[in-house]
Structures are given as structure tokens and as C-alpha cells.
Amino acid sequence: MGYLDIDEILSEQENINVMLNNDAYDLATLLTKKDAKKNTDMNVELLPNQDLDDSIHSVTSTSSDLVEDDEDDEDDNKKLNSTNIQAKTKLNMPYWLAKELGKKHFVVVEFPSWMKVLESCKADWASVNINSITQHFYNFGQDLSYYIFNKNKFSEEREELAERLSKNVFEAFVKRFPLILQHSISASTENNSQIVRMLSVLEERLYRTGQTAQDEYANWKVNGVGLSIVKQSILMKQEATTQYIVPASAQKPTQPVDEEGTQQQARKRRKNNDGSIRATAK
Amino acid sequence: MYGEKAIEVLKDLKHNESVPIYNQVGVTSVMQEMDLLYLTILKINNSEELDQSDPAIATNVITHYSGFMRNKRCILAYLYERIQRIKRLRWECGVTLPTNIEPNLHQTEKGFFDKYDKLLGDYGAEVNFDLTSDSKPPKDAFIEIRIIKTEGEDDIVLEDRTIKLKKNHIYYMNRSDAEMLINRGLAVQINSR
């Protein structure tokens, strides 16, 4: 389910800061912010006469003078020099891209800025508006901490920070669970929209499950098993048998949309042919 | 940034509970982005001036490649989720699709629905039991229904007899016969008592 899970895909879309370990060829237009205004969309649709090479060339040559020339570049590609990104620049990119680049150690994936906020949240997890941190808090937090710990360490300090992040995320979930449980049970009677807004994606799923379970339980208590219901079904069976005994040719349709009418008719049918009333269970 | 259009396509699906209209425009634009990415990678690989072992070039190629795979993943997830919802429709709504959802399906998805329907039907015929008729265990063998419209044919064939149904009348009959009438849209179940 992981590869095709929509929530997981969306959680990997979170932006994250990275630092380049080496130069990046020809990616300035894509990854650096200041080019955003000048950047002609890479997803440009080809005009009928346009060659693909031309369109790529036109995109890359509208780069800014922001990045410095890379000294190792060959003279042939002087035009594209300015689109390279130098090593040690800090970039902001979606997490899925950072993951791939980090696997080959081309970047150092940095911890998000809200890591420090977590320390102050420890006081009272239940009241934290996790949506303000990120909607995919649990997925993203856990994945990031495992990823940095296993594939992108670079230093012992980072190892420790990754472990701490993992523990914090876990603790947050454990502390907030009673809150979710309590509010999902009272969902039918109270207006919990304020609380729901503070929940992350995973928590909201739990909340909805709890809510539906509670509704089904209430429904079951009213309509489900119960002595009165059993008696009624016996009654209905008796009525049914009497109805079926009447031959098809002589059968008349029951009265339209009249609850009381049907009950009266049922009572009538309970009378035997000689007029005496058949005993019924009560 | 690559993959943003694909995410938009997925978000539309996430906000809608049942099957929304097939996003032909969205899917084609993502495929175009994938073509562009592929050609970019090809161009770099085939170029003789660029040093393939240089990490700078590798960073570039990996970026484009990840974008390509990301788009692929998003589109696959989109198609898969729609298929799952269509399967659920068959179990909930029976053999005919609800009329408000039918125009939302792509041609191939309609084909999928028909084939899935046939699969269930064949299985039911072999086992002599229709799995999809009662999703919840029935509490009673008989059920009350009200006829909301007649189809013009006067005699409806039920299990053991043929009867004539009249509009707005309440009938008390076998569960399986009643389900058949309900599925055809001729009757509604009355939840009384």
C-alpha cells in the first residue's frame, strides 16, 4: 500500500532544506528561488514547429546572474555556465527529491525548522495545533528521522537529533491519542470542528473511524438485538404466513401508505375463520 | 518544480469521496512533463562533451529522473484509487452504475466495471450464490416494501408466483424478491417498527 498510498505521496511533498555537497549542473532555474520570476515553465507545450532542443535551450539561457561561474566547466558550454549551482548552497526542495539526492550523498538533508518548536510542545501535546507544523506530521517526522539516521548521517550529532525527532513524534502520538479517542466518542453530541482542525492527517483518519464506530454502536443499540425486536420478528412471521396462505388469485393489495391501517389489517388477519382471535405472543 | 501537476491531480481525488470525473487534461499534462524529462535525460546521456562521472552532472540526471518516477507514482496511485472506488460501487450499487457517476468514468474504466461485474457473476453462478446481494446479515426472511413506480409490465415474476404491482402500495414479501425490485428502482424498503 505504501507506493500507491495517496497520503504517503502527499506527505513526501513537504518542502525541506538541503545543502549541496557538490556543484549541480544546470539546475539553477529549477531549484533556486530568485529565478522563479524569470523561469519559463519547464512544462511548456511544444509548438508545432519547435524542436525540443530549442525549447530546452531557451529555458536554460534565461537564467539569472545569481550563481557564479563554475570553474571546471568546459568552454563549449559557456552559455550554460551561469545555470549551474555551486557547492555548499542551501536549497529548498520537496522531500521526495531530497531523499533521492541524499541517497547518493549529493546533499545533506537538514532538519526542518519546526524541530526546535517540538521541545516547547512537550509541555502539553494535547493542545498543540499540529496542522500549523505540518499536516503530515507523523508520516513525515518518522520517515525523515529514519532516513537521516540510516542514509544521510554525516555526523554523530545528526544521528542523535534523528533519534530525538523519532522519539518526539512517537511521544506526541501517544499523548494525543486519548484526546482523539475522547472527542471521537462525543462527536455525535458535540461540535468538535475546533479540535478536528488541530489534527494531522493520520489523527483525523482515526477520529473519523472512531466516529463511525460510535454511530454504528448507537444504531445497534436501538435497532439491533433486543427482546422487543425478537418478538416483533415472530409477529411479522405470523403475518407473513397468513398472507402467503391466501391464494394468488384472491389476494388483494394492502392499503397504501398507512401504518395504522396495516397494523389493523394484521390484527384482523389474526382472527380465525370462525371469528375467534388467534393467540399471539406478547 | 516537477511533480506539482501530478499532486494537483491526486488532491482532486482525495477531496472527493466517490468517483469524480476523469481528469483527462491533468493526466495528459503530467505525461507530457514525463516526456520532456525523459528527453532531457537522454540528451545529457548522449552528449559527448559532458563528463558522465562528474557528480554535478549526476545530480542533474538524478533530479530529472526522480521527477519522472514521482510523476509515474502519482499517476499510478490516481488510477489505482479510482479502480478501488469503482470496485466498491459494484458491491454497493449492484449491476448498474448510478447515473450521476456513470459519465465520470473513462472508457477503459467502464470496461473494467463490466469485466469485474462479469467476474462476480460467473463466480456467483458457479457457487450458486450471489455474494453481493446481502451485505449485512438479514434479520428477517421477509421485508416490507413500497412500490414507487411500475415499469409498464403488469406482471412481475417473483420466486413462486407472478403478481401485479400497484404504485404506492405496501407489500410484504420475500427478501430476495424485494431486493430485486429495489435494485430495479421500482420499490423502496420501509424501515418500520
Side-chain angles (χ1 to χ4, degrees):
Chain A
M1 200 48 200
Y3 183 74
L4 296 170
D5 187 15
I6 294 189
D7 282 328
E8 269 198 50
I9 295 178
L10 289 175
S11 74
E12 292 206 347
Q13 192 66 19
E14 297 287 325
N15 278 334
I16 194 173
N17 288 324
V18 303
M19 190 180 72
L20 275 180
N21 278 336
N22 44 253
D23 301 324
Y25 172 71
D26 199 16
L27 289 178
T29 47
L30 184 65
L31 294 176
T32 43
K33 282 181 213 168
K34 287 189 185 176
D35 268 342
K37 290 176 200 165
K38 284 190 188 177
N39 192 13
T40 57
D41 201 339
M42 247 317 243
N43 310 322
V44 70
E45 285 174 34
L46 290 181
L47 303 170
N49 300 327
Q50 202 175 7
D51 192 10
L52 183 64
D53 284 341
D54 282 356
S55 72
I56 292 180
H57 193 72
S58 65
V59 167
T60 54
S61 56
T62 56
S63 63
S64 71
D65 44 0
L66 162 78
V67 287
E68 297 149 33
D69 279 0
D70 196 4
E71 291 160 15
D72 298 33
D73 260 346
E74 298 89 73
D75 293 325
D76 299 45
N77 300 331
K78 261 190 188 163
K79 258 190 190 174
L80 304 172
N81 270 355
S82 49
T83 64
N84 294 341
I85 312 180
Q86 249 203 348
K88 307 297 175 196
T89 22
K90 298 215 170 176
L91 301 170
N92 190 277
M93 57 173 65
Y95 180 50
W96 52 268
L97 185 55
K99 260 180 131 171
E100 293 298 319
L101 291 176
K103 274 186 196 165
K104 302 276 184 181
H105 291 237
F106 289 147
V107 301
V108 180
V109 178
E110 301 192 353
F111 289 95
S113 52
W114 44 259
M115 270 269 287
K116 301 165 200 161
V117 184
L118 290 185
E119 299 297 321
S120 60
C121 286
K122 269 187 173 173
D124 182 15
W125 271 118
S127 63
V128 172
N129 182 357
I130 280 204
N131 262 333
S132 62
I133 300 177
T134 162
Q135 235 192 356
H136 300 269
F137 180 67
Y138 294 105
N139 245 337
F140 184 54
Q142 282 292 59
D143 202 75
L144 181 67
S145 60
Y146 288 153
Y147 174 74
I148 293 187
F149 192 84
N150 293 324
K151 307 226 167 133
N152 206 285
K153 270 187 230 188
F154 291 116
S155 77
E156 269 212 28
E157 193 194 329
R158 281 167 63 84
E159 218 178 283
E160 269 181 49
L161 281 176
E163 269 193 59
R164 217 197 301 170
L165 174 63
S166 169
K167 281 192 190 142
N168 277 336
V169 170
F170 182 69
E171 199 185 294
F173 182 69
V174 169
K175 293 263 163 73
R176 284 167 72 88
F177 186 74
L179 168 86
I180 306 167
L181 183 65
Q182 183 191 336
H183 286 290
S184 73
I185 289 179
S186 66
S188 49
T189 51
E190 287 173 22
N191 180 10
N192 282 333
S193 52
Q194 188 72 351
I195 312 270
V196 175
R197 252 178 266 142
M198 294 206 310
L199 301 179
S200 72
V201 167
L202 172 73
E203 290 170 334
E204 198 180 322
R205 234 196 263 176
L206 281 175
Y207 176 83
R208 298 279 171 228
T209 319
Q211 196 179 5
T212 33
Q214 186 64 22
D215 289 341
E216 285 182 5
Y217 174 62
N219 208 15
W220 176 85
K221 278 200 281 191
V222 173
N223 296 333
V225 186
L227 278 181
S228 54
I229 308 292
V230 171
K231 279 176 197 159
Q232 279 175 24
S233 65
I234 295 177
L235 264 178
M236 282 154 95
K237 278 203 174 76
Q238 284 185 333
E239 291 175 33
T241 44
T242 51
Q243 217 171 355
Y244 262 59
I245 285 170
V246 174
S249 53
Q251 190 193 35
K252 290 175 193 164
T254 54
Q255 289 186 9
V257 202
D258 184 7
E259 281 274 1
E260 273 211 13
T262 51
Q263 286 187 1
Q264 276 179 4
Q265 286 201 327
R267 260 176 257 132
K268 277 190 199 158
R269 266 177 254 121
R270 261 180 250 136
K271 287 187 184 163
N272 278 334
N273 285 335
D274 59 348
S276 61
I277 300 177
R278 239 198 298 278
T280 56
K282 270 207 176 164
Chain B
M1 175 50 69
Y2 308 131
E4 275 179 4
K5 286 201 177 131
I7 290 285
E8 291 303 312
V9 168
L10 268 183
K11 274 188 184 161
D12 283 338
L13 190 63
K14 183 156 186 220
H15 289 143
N16 200 315
E17 277 287 319
S18 84
V19 187
I21 196 165
Y22 184 76
N23 195 347
Q24 185 66 48
V25 177
V27 174
T28 355
S29 60
V30 175
M31 304 290 267
Q32 280 178 345
E33 189 178 290
M34 284 167 79
D35 283 338
L36 227 60
L37 285 167
Y38 172 69
L39 289 170
T40 324
I41 299 175
L42 208 61
K43 186 172 183 241
I44 292 186
N45 269 341
N46 289 341
S47 128
E48 280 136 12
E49 302 113 23
L50 301 174
D51 177 15
Q52 304 293 338
S53 57
D54 184 7
I57 310 289
T59 314
N60 184 305
V61 173
I62 288 186
T63 309
H64 293 313
Y65 179 71
S66 311
F68 181 82
M69 296 304 276
R70 177 79 173 168
N71 281 332
K72 170 185 166 188
R73 183 181 178 187
C74 290
I75 294 295
L76 282 178
Y78 179 70
L79 296 174
Y80 181 73
E81 178 65 24
R82 286 179 69 92
I83 291 288
Q84 295 296 94
R85 291 186 188 179
I86 292 174
K87 269 194 199 171
R88 223 182 295 154
L89 278 179
R90 168 64 180 86
W91 284 85
E92 286 173 4
C93 307
V95 183
T96 43
L97 283 168
T99 41
N100 59 328
I101 292 185
E102 197 177 336
N104 292 347
L105 296 191
H106 189 249
Q107 203 54 36
T108 40
E109 289 173 340
K110 284 194 185 126
F112 170 79
F113 184 82
D114 291 333
K115 285 193 185 156
Y116 187 67
D117 178 37
K118 185 170 186 301
L119 190 74
L120 282 179
D122 287 346
Y123 180 70
E126 263 199 54
V127 183
N128 230 342
F129 176 72
D130 182 16
L131 285 166
T132 63
S133 56
D134 286 317
S135 57
K136 296 196 173 125
K139 296 207 177 66
D140 224 350
F142 296 93
I143 200 174
E144 244 181 7
I145 58 170
R146 184 200 309 150
I147 310 295
I148 52 175
K149 69 175 175 199
T150 51
E151 237 176 28
E153 353 167 343
D154 285 345
D155 291 339
I156 309 283
V157 181
L158 301 179
E159 231 176 71
D160 52 352
R161 58 201 171 137
T162 317
I163 62 171
K164 190 170 179 174
L165 296 175
K166 285 211 179 132
K167 193 171 175 182
N168 271 335
H169 286 183
I170 298 180
Y171 287 94
Y172 200 77
M173 58 169 71
N174 236 339
R175 178 170 279 269
S176 41
D177 296 333
E179 291 251 350
M180 187 259 295
L181 290 176
I182 291 174
N183 279 339
R184 282 168 66 177
L186 300 175
V188 222
Q189 180 181 347
I190 300 178
N191 292 318
S192 57
R193 304 175 207 254

